[in-house]
Amino acid sequence: MSDHGLMPSQTIGPFFAYALTPTAYDYAALAGNDLRTDDAVGQPIVVTGRVFDGGGDLVPDAMIEIWQADGEGRYPGVSEALANTRFKGFGRSETLEGIYRFSTVKPGRITGPEGSDQAPHINVGLFARGVNRRLFTRIYFEDESTNQTDAVLALVPDERRATLIARRDGTENGLPRYVLDIRLQGEDETVFFEA
Amino acid sequence: MTMQYPRESLASEPQALTPDYKSTILRSPKRPLIGLDPTISELSGPVYGQESVLPTDSDLTRQHSGEPLGERIIVSGRVMDEDGRPLPNTLLEIWQANAAGRYVHVRDQHPAPLDPNFSGAGRCLTDDAGRYTFTTVKPGAYPWKNHHNAWRPAHIHFSLFGPSFLTRVITQMYFPGDPLFPFDPIFNSVSDEKARQRMISTFDFDTTESEWALGYRFDIVLRGRAATPFEDSE
């Protein structure tokens, strides 16, 4: 055991927006919901979806954070090739009206255990009033053949895998749109991970 | 250095469902979390440096033309990993109510005054020794609708990144001796007594500035330990 115990989590509460997602406030956002930059490598896309609670109601006060690689599967801070680019790989979306939305680039395949590939995916952290500790999930894409061999998806029972896989659904502002709803509880509850 | 993230350390984290905090009832997953061995996706994390922080971001009393009302305080501490090693260049974000217990947020309906000289949002980076400092005012307690006569103890929300996706945490810093602790289901969502005490800052005479501000100390340990050489070579 460590002598230095972790700082426990506490809920983000209902009143974080003016600090963390201050689109409606006079404060510079650290990160917004558009991750695209001039030098970002990858297909620009929109990723969006609704967030539901266990009663089937939309959750209008969550913060969704994403962390992702670029179109070649490279993470900022890890890949030397991205050292001088503006692509941050990180974004935040509030869920006013219960909907999150990101404009970003589609991540590529990512190095996995023992030289295997991970299917393209976006790492997701969800914070909200009533959520004591960040919920961690992933967004995969339905049009990726590597989903069949992805080691993390393989941990998920077949009947629950669909909760992690965004479907292609038309376009938005000229960009391919991928849609995945997040259900905090109940039937079709989203798969959440612990790492 | 290769880091590892033992899940045993998470034992002090709050459960998702803590029914006394009513909002958790419909917002807590019922299925068990699925464990995964960290990959590059979890072992990496966003990088925010000096360019993301303005000098006024760490002094919440200097963000407007006048001084905010309230008890001026200096909150400082160290951010460390589980081995006690300092975590430099780690971004902290804070937000809080004003001295009257009112948030700037548009949905805060508590009938206490807003302060035109206080927004209540700040950020800063830790230095080479993992240290951070914020100057602000002590937030007020405020009522909420969880149950009859429910009051939140005074607190400052803290958001930290740390070196990876796995070190990311959002928590709340409390003040010593608050009489509201026994009645607050959010504070008590952390069932481990020792872990709860870690969320309470300590009054710190060393950082108290004469004729200026009271000092409070709040050290923060994030996930992560150095892998042992044996594990490193695996």
Side-chain angles (χ1 to χ4, degrees):
Chain A
M1 279 297 288
S2 164
D3 296 324
H4 297 83
L6 287 191
M7 181 59 65
S9 299
Q10 293 268 271
T11 179
I12 194 172
F15 301 138
F16 59 83
Y18 68 91
L20 302 186
T21 53
T23 49
Y25 297 88
D26 180 24
Y27 190 60
L30 178 79
N33 70 345
D34 189 346
L35 285 72
R36 295 172 299 164
T37 57
D38 294 345
D39 52 10
V41 173
Q43 164 69 48
I45 58 170
V46 168
V47 182
T48 184
R50 299 169 294 178
V51 182
F52 294 99
D53 71 13
D57 287 326
L58 289 165
V59 174
D61 54 3
M63 177 175 79
I64 310 289
E65 289 185 345
I66 62 171
W67 167 239
Q68 65 160 93
D70 73 358
E72 294 188 6
R74 302 172 301 185
Y75 280 102
V78 176
S79 168
E80 290 289 329
L82 297 186
N84 294 309
T85 62
R86 286 183 296 283
F87 178 67
K88 284 283 198 185
F90 180 73
R92 283 175 172 165
S93 174
E94 46 197 342
T95 60
L96 297 173
E97 329 270 320
I99 295 167
Y100 73 88
R101 171 176 279 98
F102 292 97
S103 301
T104 184
V105 295
K106 195 177 181 193
R109 294 178 189 179
I110 292 150
T111 306
E114 290 158 21
S116 65
D117 273 348
Q118 300 192 69
H121 64 272
I122 293 175
N123 310 287
V124 177
L126 183 149
F127 301 86
R129 170 177 65 84
V131 174
N132 285 329
R133 180 178 162 225
R134 179 183 68 170
L135 293 169
F136 158 36
T137 185
R138 285 182 170 194
I139 296 173
Y140 287 85
F141 301 90
E142 69 170 357
D143 48 8
E144 292 291 338
S145 59
T146 41
N147 290 345
Q148 306 304 320
T149 53
D150 182 86
V152 171
L153 274 178
L155 298 169
V156 178
D158 284 352
E159 68 277 11
R160 300 193 66 201
R161 247 172 245 171
T163 71
L164 299 173
I165 301 175
R167 68 177 195 283
R168 177 69 204 279
D169 179 31
T171 60
E172 185 171 317
N173 300 325
L175 304 180
R177 176 171 57 196
Y178 291 86
V179 176
L180 183 65
D181 293 337
I182 297 174
R183 295 173 197 276
L184 299 180
Q185 188 189 88
E187 206 170 329
D188 298 325
E189 181 177 300
T190 294
V191 168
F192 296 103
F193 295 105
E194 180 87 278
Chain B
M1 182 176 0
T2 307
M3 298 298 286
Q4 58 178 357
Y5 296 93
R7 278 186 222 156
E8 305 82 72
S9 304
L10 298 171
S12 57
E13 286 282 34
Q15 296 297 303
L17 175 63
T18 51
D20 289 347
Y21 175 22
K22 296 214 168 59
S23 296
T24 67
I25 293 172
L26 288 175
R27 292 183 167 194
S28 49
K30 291 212 183 303
R31 310 277 199 119
L33 302 178
I34 293 182
L36 65 82
D37 292 331
T39 71
I40 188 69
S41 297
E42 294 79 28
L43 298 173
S44 58
V47 179
Y48 284 94
Q50 211 61 52
E51 77 291 343
S52 53
V53 179
L54 297 171
T56 51
D57 282 342
S58 62
D59 187 342
L60 285 70
T61 69
R62 298 265 182 244
Q63 296 176 347
H64 297 273
S65 56
E67 286 233 42
L69 290 171
E71 186 182 337
R72 194 183 296 111
I73 61 172
I74 295 165
V75 178
S76 65
R78 284 178 72 219
V79 182
M80 297 164 275
D81 66 17
E82 291 177 71
D83 291 323
R85 264 189 309 271
L87 292 171
N89 299 310
T90 281
L91 186 74
L92 294 93
E93 299 166 283
I94 64 169
W95 68 103
Q96 63 169 94
N98 67 23
R102 177 79 186 267
Y103 284 90
V104 164
H105 197 285
V106 292
R107 290 189 202 166
D108 185 0
Q109 300 298 312
H110 176 36
L114 286 166
D115 183 339
N117 289 314
F118 192 73
S119 297
R123 49 176 92 107
C124 76
L125 285 175
T126 57
D127 67 12
D128 289 345
R131 292 174 302 217
Y132 72 89
T133 301
F134 287 105
T135 302
T136 183
V137 295
K138 191 173 181 188
Y142 60 85
W144 59 313
K145 298 186 189 306
N146 187 71
H147 54 275
H148 175 66
N149 208 7
W151 291 81
R152 292 299 327 283
H155 61 275
I156 299 177
H157 297 266
F158 270 70
S159 160
L160 293 99
F161 281 81
S164 78
F165 184 79
L166 295 182
T167 52
R168 178 96 180 91
V169 72
I170 290 181
T171 188
Q172 300 181 23
M173 183 202 98
Y174 298 90
F175 292 87
D178 197 312
L180 292 169
F181 288 147
F183 310 104
D184 181 39
I186 292 181
F187 176 70
N188 291 294
S189 68
V190 175
S191 60
D192 182 287
E193 165 68 18
K194 280 187 182 162
R196 263 200 316 276
Q197 296 303 317
R198 293 198 283 271
M199 302 190 294
I200 305 174
S201 59
T202 52
F203 170 68
D204 185 17
F205 201 71
D206 289 342
T207 53
T208 292
E209 291 190 14
S210 173
E211 320 242 341
W212 186 247
L214 294 179
Y216 288 88
R217 188 168 178 85
F218 187 56
D219 291 339
I220 299 166
V221 174
L222 303 183
R223 287 186 76 184
R225 311 185 64 171
T228 63
F230 175 74
E231 287 158 325
D232 243 351
S233 65
E234 275 187 328

